[in-house]
Amino acid sequence: MRRMLWLLAALSWAASLWLCRQAEGYGNGIYVLLDRSLTGTEAADILEREGALEEPTGVCFYALGTNTYISCPDTGNSAKVTLVPVMGNPGLLGAQALTWRRGCVLDKATAQALFGTAEVGAQQVTVEEETQTALEVLPALTATTLASAENGDSLTHCVLADWAETEKAESFLLRHGLSGKILNFYPLLVFAKNACLLPLWAALLVLCNLIRKGNSRLGWLLLAAGAVFLASWVTVPKDAIPSLWSDFSFWGTWLQGLRENFLAIVTAYPGDWALQMERDMIQSVLCALAGTLFVAWGGRRKNHASAAH
């Protein structure tokens, strides 16, 4: 039974690491809900001005369109999707193919409904009476189609490259006369990454407790060395380090900012890509907690067995 618990702990820990890595892959940017919509022409002008800077910020403007029908002329099949027009760097939303070619990117379920297969090979589809080329398939939780934006499209969101740089998002908005609600998922990712260490902390405590019964000094030494090693893997958000340690008001302001950011993320919906990231982070934390419980349970059974002998 004890071996089974330790095996489950190891599997849960591995799953938490994998899910956290998945979440990090989805969340390669900071989302902004713009206070006013931009036309495709305005967005293109901002992208041109930003690209002329010495250190431009990677950005993709997009909108969460209403539900519409997309059809395939060859098969006659159609599917209802949420159309997301994008402009800029669509790779920030996972649509790498739209970076170098105009067309659309489908979710797996939509591709299956239209073509009878989840694979696409430049098939033609009709989106709002316009023929476009299906370039690739992306994983999605909802029926979503990303398509190259036109000049007349209304774009209400943007996503910026680079984790943790909330200041960069604020500078970008100020530089181009924009404003909006900034959603920074980095603090949640940091929480998920640090949660992945919980099973290791639990295993360290169990191991040290067993060794300490036979050799107290060795147990404490192992605990200290293990704690230093695991502490080196703890991720600290960049904005959690004050410029002046004597600034005691910093922590209150920082915690208030975390609270406001969390509430903004909970109440807003920046799109399917962010939703997948949230799902993976939640599942990662749950797996880490499960692994910690399995370690604690396995260690407790070991202690009971030792006491019985």
Side-chain angles (χ1 to χ4, degrees):
M1 180 65 177
R2 189 167 60 250
R3 291 181 180 178
M4 179 62 68
L5 290 173
W6 283 100
L7 176 61
L8 290 174
L11 292 175
S12 298
W13 176 64
S16 70
L17 288 178
W18 182 80
L19 287 165
C20 190
R21 182 63 60 88
Q22 287 287 105
E24 192 171 10
Y26 283 119
N28 57 350
I30 296 177
Y31 294 84
V32 181
L33 279 61
L34 299 173
D35 287 339
R36 72 175 183 89
S37 61
L38 301 175
T39 64
T41 302
E42 289 177 307
D45 182 58
I46 292 175
L47 292 170
E48 183 177 357
R49 295 200 308 269
E50 187 68 24
L53 298 178
E54 184 176 347
E55 294 184 1
T57 299
V59 59
C60 177
F61 291 99
Y62 67 100
L64 300 178
T66 57
N67 291 335
T68 186
Y69 281 93
I70 180 174
S71 61
C72 175
D74 294 333
T75 62
N77 296 330
S78 63
K80 191 176 183 179
V81 301
T82 297
L83 183 63
V84 180
V86 298
M87 178 176 289
N89 181 5
L92 295 174
L93 293 174
Q96 301 290 348
L98 292 178
T99 304
W100 58 82
R101 185 177 176 185
R102 292 184 62 81
C104 64
V105 171
L106 312 176
D107 66 279
K108 184 176 180 181
T110 299
Q112 186 73 40
L114 293 178
F115 314 127
T117 175
E119 302 294 329
V120 298
Q123 293 99 323
Q124 298 298 303
V125 296
T126 301
V127 183
E128 295 187 335
E129 300 182 354
E130 179 184 350
T131 300
Q132 296 197 25
T133 302
L135 302 177
E136 65 177 338
V137 172
L138 287 180
L141 299 178
T142 59
T144 303
T145 294
L146 280 66
S148 301
E150 303 294 339
N151 290 336
D153 286 336
S154 179
L155 306 175
T156 56
H157 298 63
C158 72
V159 56
L160 305 177
D162 297 330
W163 277 109
E165 299 293 340
T166 301
E167 295 80 6
K168 179 178 288 189
E170 294 172 345
S171 298
F172 173 83
L173 295 176
L174 182 63
R175 190 160 57 242
H176 299 289
L178 302 174
S179 62
K181 183 183 294 184
I182 298 175
L183 308 180
N184 187 357
F185 287 84
Y186 181 71
L188 298 182
L189 178 68
V190 168
F191 178 78
K193 292 174 73 172
N194 290 333
C196 291
L197 298 175
L198 288 176
L200 299 183
W201 284 105
L204 175 64
L205 292 175
V206 169
L207 180 61
C208 291
N209 186 50
L210 292 176
I211 295 177
R212 191 168 55 85
K213 292 180 179 180
N215 188 328
S216 178
R217 182 174 299 178
L218 179 61
W220 286 113
L221 182 62
L222 178 61
L223 178 61
V228 170
F229 175 76
L230 290 179
S232 67
W233 287 91
V234 173
T235 302
V236 179
K238 296 179 182 179
D239 60 352
I241 303 176
S243 56
L244 292 175
W245 289 100
S246 58
D247 183 9
F248 298 108
S249 63
F250 170 83
W251 302 108
T253 304
W254 182 71
L255 290 174
Q256 178 65 20
L258 280 183
R259 176 179 175 276
E260 293 176 356
N261 181 63
F262 177 74
L263 290 177
I265 290 175
V266 170
T267 57
Y269 175 65
D272 189 277
W273 197 245
L275 191 62
Q276 293 180 73
M277 175 175 53
E278 293 178 39
R279 175 204 60 186
D280 287 344
M281 284 192 290
I282 292 173
Q283 291 179 344
S284 175
V285 172
L286 292 177
C287 286
L289 292 176
T292 304
L293 291 175
F294 287 135
V295 169
W297 193 8
R300 184 170 175 270
R301 291 183 64 86
K302 177 69 175 179
N303 290 338
H304 284 180
S306 300
H309 285 298

